[in-house]
Amino acid sequence: MTWADLSAGARAEVDARLARRQVIHAIKAVRDDFDNSPGRERPGLRAAVDLVEARRQLLGIPVS
């Protein structure tokens, strides 16, 4: 799973959640995006966590 696999809305929500340091909600947004898209299999929790963590690091948001 890559950042490009997410819808534009999910990418915006993940960035907004990370900006507010709501990591759990960001992970949920990733998984919900797949749940709301017919024909796409929901990623495992580890894959969602890895994607959100990579994005957090890219944006330079510190761990609190």
Side-chain angles (χ1 to χ4, degrees):
M1 175 176 50
T2 67
W3 186 246
D5 293 332
L6 296 178
S7 68
R11 290 191 301 263
E13 182 174 356
V14 168
D15 284 350
R17 295 291 188 172
L18 286 175
R20 293 187 301 258
R21 297 193 176 160
Q22 297 175 338
V23 176
I24 300 298
H25 293 287
I27 294 166
K28 186 176 182 320
V30 169
R31 297 188 84 200
D32 286 350
D33 185 54
F34 282 82
D35 284 347
N36 296 328
S37 301
R40 293 172 63 193
E41 185 177 330
R42 185 180 196 186
L45 182 58
R46 182 81 243 159
V49 168
D50 289 346
L51 182 65
V52 169
E53 176 61 13
R55 186 66 179 171
R56 183 197 62 76
Q57 290 176 3
L58 181 71
L59 296 175
I61 297 170
V63 175
S64 51

